[in-house]
Amino acid sequence: MEGTVVLSVLVVSLLLLFTSAQPLTYDLDDRKGLGRVFDGIGGLSGGGATSRLLVNYAEPYRSQILDYLFKPNFGASLHILKVEIGGDAQTTDGTEPSHMHYENDENYFRGYEWWLMKEAKKRNPNITLIGLPWAFPGWVGNGKNWPYDFPDITASYVVNWILGAKQYHDLDIQYVGIWNERNFDSKYIKVLRETLDKVDLTDVGIIAADGGWTIAETMLADSALNYSVQVIGAHYPGTTTIPEALQTQKTLWSSEDYSTFNNAIGGGCWARILNQNYVNGNMTATIAWNLVASYYNELPFGRDGLMTANEPWSGYYAVESPIWITAHTTQFTQPGWTYLQTVGHLDQGGSYVALTDGEGNLTVVIETMTHNHSVCIRPPLLPYKVTPQKATFQLQGSFANIKKLQVWRSQFNFETKRPSFFEKLAPVKLLNGSFTLDLDEDEVYTLTTLTTGQKGSYSDPPASATFPKSYKDDFSVRNPPFTEAPNFADQTGVFEYHINLTDPGPHIFTLRQVVTQRPVTWVADADQTISVLGDHKWQNITVTCDVYMEKSNTGGAYVAARVNKGGGFVRGAEGVFFWVFTDGTYRVTNDLAGERVLAEGQAGTHEYRWYTLSLTVEGQYASGKLNGYLLWKNAVVLTPKNGWAAIGTRSFELAQFDNFAVVAQ
């Protein structure tokens, strides 16, 4: 009897061992119909000023970066570009200029988003273009930090941008998002739809609330709102949706996602959510914030782009892992393809999706990203486990006769730290419509009938280099390609190239701060305007600039050094700020807010005159000159130890700057 028990246990153990060694089979079948229509993978420029340094790159490097982002069958090959409709306000990493600074002002050549959309369209004529205002000029809110009390005005402002895109740049905007994901305004959404329809923009879809799923509950109860919204967009949905969103039967997108440092773990985050946003949440588009990390590293969310390009002074850029993870989907699908219903999770962890063009082509994307190697910045990721596994995929229905699939693979190889991204393997031959893969942890596979994939490449860009220690800009560009001066990163206010016709002389071409009213924004703009530049590690430097104040009695302007904060934290910026005012005084402060005074006195300064300010900081001491004469010295500066150079104004006011120069030790 004892021998029989032992034998039975042995037989069961052998059966379990045999069973566990057998690959599980996953059907890829269209006989019961298809899933949702795929809308694409995209990147987001803005929210805010995330492409600021890209425009300063010299050729050929700038075009190479754009090719890695947009060129079909080359790099990320993005299907969607979403841009900020500039609102003159701080919206994360900086400000982007509005097309309407004032109610009676329209200019559709400010900023760089027009240029970026045209460059994307040049590479991919079928790219989907989306605009979203993160902020608005103050006049839209009529003095309030809220843009929807006068929905007709706000809707007209947004629609003007869409019309201007077509009239001046021949750009067709397909979608527009709704600002304020946490507290959407149903009346405004309906007014926006009506305004679009009145000017024959019926094909422009509204994405709402471009932030959360909760609008779905209201849409189910409000037929006019439901009609007005074409896409429900969520930000950082964690790959899941809610039943009410599905009940609307609307298209569901992750309209802002990723936002993660673009090292290997960032690539793992991106790989996991690109598949699981559909598997778990039925989302048919995913848009990365941000498109390209082209802003100073020390600003918030440094290097959170699909690739990094923040050294225009050197020409260096880095093609990071998310570019190649994107290619696993984008190079082998197109918007208009359809997901199969047979998508899901792998038994030992990971996920798979399959899409078809309806004409016989099939693309399968598989990811096995482990928890610790695919954590996104938000939301928290619940524990789960992935182990090596065999997986068999059985093609059925219209795919049953496929004999061969092209194979592309990425291996993160976290242990060896020798990753291999987007590697073309030998095609896999199917036997009776099936194939089997040995899947390890932290891998991405694409298997496809398409043969057009390519891992594009250029010669290595120049070596990385710090910002030049000696830098000058007199802003003398007669026909500047962009309204912004190179390398200046506006944090509050907007500093634009300007032709000074009121004061002829040496200061014809200047940089002018043009925002005169606090914008409507979800980020706390500083009370003072500020634009930073240079190397955040700078300690001992001299900053010189000519300033021209245009506000009587209460106007003021400054130069600064060791500015330690920017982006959404700019209100708390510290450094050394040398101010002069139109009431004839000067002040030296240890903070942008002007509350910690290091020195002050009489300067004899007034409005509508040019003055040269020079600030020198060495160790714990600072001194300042006005028009070449020492005005103050030996101000004690204990903190901060380092930071950017900067210029700015006392408040939202007109002022001009010229002959900017920095010398750092």
Side-chain angles (χ1 to χ4, degrees):
M1 183 70 175
E2 185 177 329
T4 304
V5 171
V6 171
L7 181 61
S8 299
V9 171
L10 181 61
V11 169
V12 170
S13 298
L14 289 171
L15 285 172
L16 288 173
L17 180 64
F18 177 78
T19 302
S20 63
Q22 297 305 300
L24 289 176
T25 299
Y26 305 92
D27 291 332
L28 301 176
D29 193 351
D30 62 353
R31 289 178 297 181
K32 294 183 179 180
L34 297 173
R36 292 193 171 213
V37 175
F38 176 63
D39 293 305
I41 308 300
L44 202 166
S45 172
T50 53
S51 302
R52 177 64 193 89
L53 298 176
L54 173 62
V55 299
N56 305 148
Y57 270 80
E59 296 294 352
Y61 310 115
R62 189 172 69 179
S63 288
Q64 292 174 4
I65 295 164
L66 293 167
D67 284 350
Y68 279 116
L69 293 168
F70 300 115
K71 187 177 179 180
N73 300 316
F74 188 84
S77 306
L78 293 171
H79 304 133
I80 299 170
L81 173 60
K82 180 177 177 180
V83 304
E84 177 173 357
I85 300 174
D88 292 342
Q90 171 62 246
T91 55
T92 296
D93 286 295
T95 66
E96 298 196 29
S98 170
H99 58 290
M100 297 179 70
H101 292 318
Y102 321 109
E103 190 170 3
N104 59 352
D105 160 69
E106 289 187 59
N107 185 323
Y108 297 94
F109 294 93
R110 295 183 182 126
Y112 39 84
E113 302 296 4
W114 312 108
W115 165 84
L116 184 61
M117 287 188 284
K118 287 187 286 189
E119 291 294 325
K121 197 86 173 173
K122 186 189 303 180
R123 288 161 174 79
N124 177 7
N126 297 317
I127 197 165
T128 298
L129 299 177
I130 304 171
L132 171 67
W134 269 257
F136 297 87
W139 65 268
V140 174
N142 197 29
K144 295 183 180 179
N145 193 43
W146 182 247
Y148 300 135
D149 284 347
F150 303 93
D152 291 339
I153 292 175
T154 306
S156 177
Y157 170 84
V158 172
V159 171
N160 282 346
W161 183 87
I162 299 171
L163 293 171
K166 182 62 175 179
Q167 181 178 350
Y168 295 99
H169 302 284
D170 196 27
L171 294 168
D172 293 302
I173 306 300
Q174 282 99 326
Y175 294 92
V176 62
I178 303 300
W179 179 80
N180 201 307
E181 68 248 33
R182 300 175 187 87
N183 189 11
F184 62 89
D185 189 287
S186 297
K187 181 179 179 180
Y188 168 69
I189 294 171
K190 289 181 273 191
V191 169
L192 178 59
R193 179 73 270 160
E194 293 170 0
T195 307
L196 288 166
D197 292 348
K198 284 178 182 176
V199 293
D200 295 325
L201 292 175
T202 55
D203 292 337
V204 176
I206 293 177
I207 306 170
D210 210 350
W213 298 122
T214 54
I215 192 174
E217 301 171 8
T218 309
M219 289 169 61
L220 290 171
D222 186 337
S223 59
L225 178 64
N226 191 65
Y227 162 79
S228 299
V229 175
Q230 283 63 57
V231 175
I232 303 178
H235 288 190
Y236 311 99
T239 76
T240 62
T241 186
I242 61 173
E244 291 83 356
L246 295 170
Q247 289 172 27
T248 66
Q249 299 184 352
K250 293 287 185 176
T251 298
L252 309 180
W253 285 5
S254 179
S255 54
E256 182 178 323
D257 216 327
Y258 177 62
S259 185
T260 300
F261 192 78
N262 60 22
N263 59 5
I265 291 177
C269 152
W270 189 232
R272 176 175 55 81
I273 64 177
L274 283 184
N275 264 22
Q276 296 194 27
N277 274 347
Y278 185 76
V279 171
N280 301 336
N282 286 283
M283 287 167 267
T284 55
T286 298
I287 302 173
W289 188 90
N290 53 69
L291 173 74
V292 53
S294 284
Y295 47 98
Y296 291 117
N297 273 337
E298 294 81 7
L299 289 169
F301 306 101
R303 267 187 60 184
D304 277 16
L306 297 178
M307 63 181 292
T308 304
N310 56 10
E311 290 187 18
W313 48 87
S314 71
Y316 172 79
Y317 63 85
V319 183
E320 315 285 4
S321 63
I323 290 290
W324 303 119
I325 295 306
T326 309
H328 273 282
T329 299
T330 54
Q331 289 202 23
F332 309 108
T333 62
Q334 289 297 323
W337 284 44
T338 309
Y339 284 99
L340 272 60
Q341 290 187 18
T342 49
V343 302
H345 291 276
L346 299 169
D347 185 64
Q348 299 300 314
S351 65
Y352 65 97
V353 294
L355 303 95
T356 181
D357 64 352
E359 298 177 1
N361 284 309
L362 176 70
T363 290
V364 183
V365 184
I366 304 163
E367 59 83 20
T368 59
M369 298 309 305
T370 57
H371 179 280
N372 291 347
H373 294 152
S374 66
V375 175
C376 302
I377 192 172
R378 64 175 81 87
L381 182 61
L382 296 175
Y384 68 90
K385 193 170 184 180
V386 177
T387 56
Q389 57 195 299
K390 281 183 177 288
T392 294
F393 292 85
Q394 181 67 53
L395 276 59
Q396 301 191 53
S398 64
F399 312 116
N401 294 324
I402 292 176
K403 304 299 183 185
K404 182 172 68 173
L405 292 170
Q406 306 298 314
V407 183
W408 293 79
R409 181 184 67 185
S410 289
Q411 295 179 308
F412 283 82
N413 293 329
F414 283 96
E415 290 187 5
T416 65
K417 296 183 179 179
R418 293 183 177 178
S420 172
F421 292 116
F422 205 58
E423 177 187 8
K424 193 175 192 308
L425 305 182
V428 63
K429 295 181 180 179
L430 278 64
L431 180 62
N432 297 322
S434 74
F435 63 91
T436 300
L437 295 175
D438 289 306
L439 301 174
D440 205 345
E441 298 173 2
D442 299 321
E443 293 186 330
V444 180
Y445 277 87
T446 298
L447 297 102
T448 179
T449 55
L450 299 183
T451 60
T452 52
Q454 178 190 3
K455 187 173 185 179
S457 65
Y458 289 108
S459 300
D460 290 341
S464 176
T466 58
F467 196 94
K469 290 186 176 181
S470 180
Y471 181 83
K472 295 181 179 181
D473 195 339
D474 63 5
F475 314 121
S476 295
V477 183
R478 187 170 295 275
N479 294 299
F482 304 102
T483 52
E484 298 84 0
N487 305 320
F488 278 90
D490 302 346
Q491 299 302 301
T492 295
V494 173
F495 296 74
E496 296 180 346
Y497 277 117
H498 177 66
I499 299 178
N500 182 14
L501 300 178
T502 61
D503 183 35
H507 301 285
I508 297 176
F509 299 100
T510 69
L511 198 66
R512 193 187 202 195
Q513 200 296 117
V514 298
V515 179
T516 58
Q517 184 180 6
R518 176 172 293 282
V520 178
T521 179
W522 62 278
V523 173
D525 268 306
D527 295 324
Q528 309 76 17
T529 70
I530 178 171
S531 187
V532 301
L533 171 146
D535 188 339
H536 193 266
K537 297 182 177 65
W538 279 343
Q539 295 180 336
N540 299 331
I541 68 171
T542 295
V543 185
T544 303
C545 190
D546 297 344
V547 302
Y548 182 84
M549 298 171 284
E550 301 182 53
K551 185 176 182 181
S552 301
N553 301 321
T554 59
Y558 66 83
V559 297
R562 294 188 183 178
V563 177
N564 66 346
K565 294 179 183 177
F569 305 108
V570 72
R571 284 183 69 87
E574 299 173 317
V576 184
F577 297 83
F578 175 20
W579 312 73
V580 292
F581 304 102
T582 54
D583 66 1
T585 64
Y586 78 89
R587 188 176 303 138
V588 184
T589 68
N590 204 187
D591 60 339
L592 176 62
E595 296 174 351
R596 299 203 298 274
V597 179
L598 304 177
E600 59 185 337
Q602 294 297 315
T605 49
H606 301 282
E607 66 271 24
Y608 306 119
R609 299 179 188 176
W610 281 99
Y611 299 96
T612 300
L613 302 184
S614 182
L615 167 66
T616 298
V617 185
E618 293 184 359
Q620 295 183 359
Y621 298 97
S623 62
K625 294 180 180 179
L626 177 65
N627 292 340
Y629 295 96
L630 188 66
L631 185 64
W632 55 274
K633 65 178 180 178
N634 296 332
V636 178
V637 182
L638 299 179
T639 60
K641 302 295 186 183
N642 55 274
W644 297 291
I647 56 175
T649 62
R650 182 178 193 169
S651 63
F652 292 96
E653 61 189 89
L654 298 175
Q656 297 179 55
F657 302 85
D658 201 0
N659 297 321
F660 178 88
V662 173
V663 177
Q665 296 180 15

